Amino acid sequence: IWGIEKECGNPRIRFQTEGPFFSKTAKELERPHYDPITNTVYIPMCLTGYNGNIYQNFIAELSHAKQFKDNPINFYSKLSQSFLRIIYKTFSENGCIFDLNLLSEKQLEEYNIPGSLEYEAHSKIQPELNKKYEEIEKLGEYIVKKLKEAEKEVETRENKNEN
């Protein structure tokens, strides 16, 4: 995991117990997020995304940290484009009335727009990071299996020596 984290710019990791400053609702505590200003991945204490899998949530947000590390100018350019697109869609569909639910809906649409910050992070970078994580997980399982086999072998030898 540390290797993946390093590849993504070694962001700080903070567990979040309160919502962002603009919303203290429980819904805001469900989604992890990345803050490029502080290079920090925030992981809510009550996860529901990815079935509450902390590693998958972490890797999802590491994809943004990698975007930022690899090309900060492009990161902020895409972030600005997405922000403007979200605001434009929200106000063009709802007149000049601010609607947080519609704003959230438009933000979620960004995941399906090729070239957007969210699309590139979660459709291109995240699958690569997931693959690396799965390889690490398989290696860990292999090592645990071999250690258990070695323990059994030692135990068998000790039992033979006692008899």
Side-chain angles (χ1 to χ4, degrees):
I1 292 291
W2 288 328
I4 294 172
E5 182 185 2
K6 183 179 179 184
E7 177 185 339
C8 296
N10 290 321
R12 286 186 291 215
I13 304 159
R14 297 291 180 264
F15 289 94
Q16 186 175 358
T17 56
E18 294 183 352
F21 70 93
F22 57 85
S23 174
K24 300 287 185 192
T25 65
K27 183 174 174 127
E28 293 298 329
L29 294 174
E30 295 175 3
R31 296 182 62 200
H33 62 280
Y34 171 70
D35 181 350
I37 295 171
T38 61
N39 191 32
T40 304
V41 172
Y42 289 95
I43 301 174
M45 294 298 288
C46 51
L47 290 174
T48 57
Y50 292 110
N51 297 319
N53 185 320
I54 194 166
Y55 296 109
Q56 290 303 315
N57 280 283
F58 180 56
I59 288 171
E61 294 312 304
L62 275 181
S63 62
H64 287 300
K66 183 164 176 41
Q67 281 177 308
F68 182 75
K69 177 190 174 267
D70 290 349
N71 192 337
I73 293 171
N74 191 49
F75 178 91
Y76 279 114
S77 173
K78 288 186 178 295
L79 181 65
S80 299
Q81 290 170 14
S82 290
F83 178 75
L84 291 172
R85 190 170 32 248
I86 292 164
I87 295 296
Y88 176 77
K89 287 180 178 179
T90 300
F91 285 112
S92 66
E93 287 185 22
N94 205 29
C96 289
I97 300 169
F98 183 78
D99 182 341
L100 190 57
N101 291 326
L102 185 58
L103 188 74
S104 293
E105 181 184 310
K106 297 304 169 193
Q107 194 274 333
L108 289 174
E109 289 176 6
E110 291 292 305
Y111 289 80
N112 299 315
I113 299 173
S116 72
L117 185 76
E118 296 295 346
Y119 181 87
E120 288 189 0
H122 301 295
S123 295
K124 293 182 176 182
I125 298 169
Q126 184 178 346
E128 294 171 12
L129 297 177
N130 281 336
K131 185 177 177 182
K132 289 178 182 181
Y133 173 73
E134 288 167 9
E135 289 170 3
I136 292 167
E137 198 172 39
K138 285 178 186 174
L139 178 61
E141 289 170 2
Y142 175 78
I143 291 170
V144 168
K145 179 183 169 194
K146 289 298 180 182
L147 286 173
K148 286 181 180 180
E149 289 173 4
E151 285 176 357
K152 277 188 174 184
E153 180 66 29
V154 168
E155 189 176 294
T156 303
R157 286 183 186 177
E158 287 176 351
N159 288 338
K160 283 182 181 179
N161 289 339
E162 287 176 5
N163 295 330

